[in-house]
Amino acid sequence: MAFYNSMSQFLFPLIWCSILICLSSGFPTSESSVSPSKAEQDFEMFQQWMAEHGRFYPNSEESNTRFQIFQRNLKYITETNAKRSKSTYGYRLGLNKFADMSPEEFTQTYLRPLEVPANIAPASSSSSYVQQQDSCAPPATMDWRKQGVVTPVKDQRRCGSCWAFGATGALESVHAITTGKLVSLSEQELVDCDPLSRGCAGGWPHNAFEWVVQNGGISKEEDYPYVARQGRCKANMHDGDKVVKISGYSKIPQSDDALLCATSKQPVPVAFNATDLQFYKSGIYGGENCPEGSTGVTHVALIVGYDSKDGTDYWIAKNSWGENWGMNGYFFIKRNTNLPHGVCALNAWAYVPNV
C-alpha cells in the first residue's frame, strides 16, 4: 500500500499534466468542449475512483484513455439518471468497478451472445419439461437468501463463465434445500470439463447440468478452485469429492407464472439480455432497451426470489460480478410484464436441476 501511495503521488501530477495538454490541444475531439473546471472535477472523481478500486495504469497514455472513457461513462450515467428520475421502477445507475471500460469492451468481456439451442425440446434422457401445475400456490413473496440456502456472491472476473456460476448457484441451493447443508461448488470444474460449453467464451446452465449427471456429481469449490480461465479438465482427480449429484434437469415453460411457481420451490438460473446492466446500482430494471420479441441472451444470473414494491412486481437476482456491483452483487428485474418471453427474454431459457 505504501508503494501504491508513493507511486500515485508521483504519477498523478504527470497524468494530470498530460491530460491538460490533451484537452488544451483539442484531444480528444469528443470532449474538447469540456471546460477546465469540469475536467478538474471529473479528474478528481477519477482519482477517487482509482483509489477506491485499486486501479493502476502502466503509463500516462493508458491513463488518458481510461480517463476519457470514465468521463463518457460518467456523462451517460448522469444523463440517464436524470431522465429516469421520475420512473416508477426507480432504476438507477452509478459508478462502479466497470467505469473505465467502454460499453464495447464490457460487452466483449462479460456479455458474450449465447447461441440459441438448436431445439428447446429435452435434449437427452437426463432432461424433461416441468409443466405448470394448476395446484401451484406460491407465496406472495419469496427470498431464498433468508432461508440460508444461497452462497455468498461470487466474481467471475474477466471470464465469460456466468453460465457456470448460474449452474452452481442452482445446484448449491437445491442441495441445501434437500439436505440442510450449504456447500460452495466448483465453477472451474464446469469451465474446464463441460464439452458442450465454451469455457470463458460462454455456455448454458442446462449443458452444465447434463455434464454433472454424466460425471456423477460435481466437486466443492475448495477442492477445484476458480482461476477465471479455461484449463485442462481434472475431474478424474476428484472422483471422491463429488459432493452434489443430480438425476437430471428440467426446462421451465416460458411464462412468468411458470417461473414464479419454479422459484417458489428453488432458485432458478436464467439467461437474459444484460446489455444495460454495466452500471446498474439499484432499483427495478425494466429492460427499456431490450427487444420485446427477441429470445437473444447475453448473460446468466440466478433468480433467488421475488417481491413487489409500489405496485411493481420484480425478481430478486444474484449476479456473478462480485459484491461491489449493484446491490451487494444483486439486482431487481421487473416481472409480470405480459411480454412474450419476459423482460429481456428472462423467461425463455430457464432450467432447474432435479435431485
Side-chain angles (χ1 to χ4, degrees), residues 45-349:
M45 291 184 66
F46 184 54
Q47 286 182 302
Q48 294 172 353
W49 177 87
M50 287 178 62
E52 179 182 352
H53 295 279
R55 197 74 90 243
F56 175 76
Y57 304 112
N59 52 61
S60 60
E61 181 179 358
E62 178 69 11
S63 297
N64 291 343
T65 299
R66 293 300 168 182
F67 174 57
Q68 292 159 28
I69 293 173
F70 179 89
Q71 282 187 300
R72 290 194 290 270
N73 289 337
L74 176 61
K75 180 181 179 181
Y76 170 75
I77 290 169
T78 302
E79 292 179 350
T80 301
N81 282 343
K83 294 176 183 177
R84 292 178 179 163
S85 60
K86 298 181 180 179
S87 169
T88 56
Y89 307 148
Y91 164 47
R92 306 287 290 179
L93 306 182
L95 292 173
N96 57 27
K97 62 181 179 180
F98 301 133
D100 66 343
M101 297 180 72
S102 69
E104 296 78 15
E105 182 183 3
F106 179 81
T107 298
Q108 179 64 28
T109 304
Y110 291 95
L111 304 181
R112 303 291 183 88
L114 303 180
E115 295 181 5
V116 174
N119 69 71
I120 58 175
S124 75
S125 58
S126 301
S127 62
S128 65
Y129 275 101
V130 172
Q131 299 299 332
Q132 183 176 337
Q133 300 177 14
D134 294 335
S135 60
C136 181
T141 65
M142 171 61 73
D143 189 341
W144 284 108
R145 296 174 297 180
K146 297 179 180 179
Q147 307 300 319
V149 298
V150 180
T151 58
V153 170
K154 303 178 184 182
D155 192 346
Q156 67 187 71
R157 307 205 292 271
R158 297 180 72 92
C159 169
S161 55
C162 58
W163 59 275
F165 285 83
T168 57
L171 292 166
E172 290 163 350
S173 292
V174 74
H175 178 71
I177 291 169
T178 55
T179 68
K181 299 177 181 179
L182 182 61
V183 180
S184 183
L185 299 177
S186 174
E187 294 81 20
Q188 190 63 46
E189 189 169 39
L190 296 176
V191 169
D192 290 348
C193 303
D194 177 8
L196 297 179
S197 296
R198 297 180 294 160
C200 288
W204 289 92
H206 68 279
N207 287 337
F209 296 151
E210 179 67 24
W211 181 85
V212 173
V213 172
Q214 300 301 325
N215 186 57
I218 184 172
S219 302
K220 292 187 293 185
E221 184 175 24
E222 63 185 59
D223 293 329
Y224 203 139
Y226 187 66
V227 296
R229 63 180 181 275
Q230 186 173 13
R232 180 176 61 86
C233 179
K234 298 182 286 292
N236 59 348
M237 298 172 61
H238 300 278
D239 282 342
D241 302 320
K242 298 173 182 177
V243 292
V244 174
K245 301 179 181 181
I246 58 174
S247 58
Y249 60 93
S250 303
K251 188 180 189 304
I252 308 302
Q254 299 181 10
S255 73
D256 276 328
D257 288 344
L259 185 56
L260 181 70
C261 186
T263 304
S264 71
K265 299 174 182 177
Q266 64 191 86
V268 180
V270 292
F272 67 106
N273 188 332
T275 302
D276 280 349
L277 290 183
Q278 180 177 355
F279 303 117
Y280 173 89
K281 181 179 180 181
S282 64
I284 303 172
Y285 176 55
E288 290 80 358
N289 294 324
C290 289
E292 288 190 4
S294 173
T295 57
V297 293
T298 60
H299 189 53
V300 174
L302 184 71
I303 301 296
V304 299
Y306 53 87
D307 206 337
S308 302
K309 182 178 182 181
D310 299 329
T312 300
D313 299 332
Y314 62 88
W315 302 108
I316 305 169
K318 177 186 180 183
N319 207 355
S320 53
W321 293 341
E323 293 182 341
N324 57 350
W325 174 90
M327 296 180 292
N328 298 317
Y330 287 83
F331 66 101
F332 297 157
I333 186 166
K334 194 179 182 186
R335 62 185 176 93
N336 290 337
T337 60
N338 294 319
L339 294 172
H341 306 293
V343 170
C344 299
L346 189 76
N347 301 342
W349 312 110

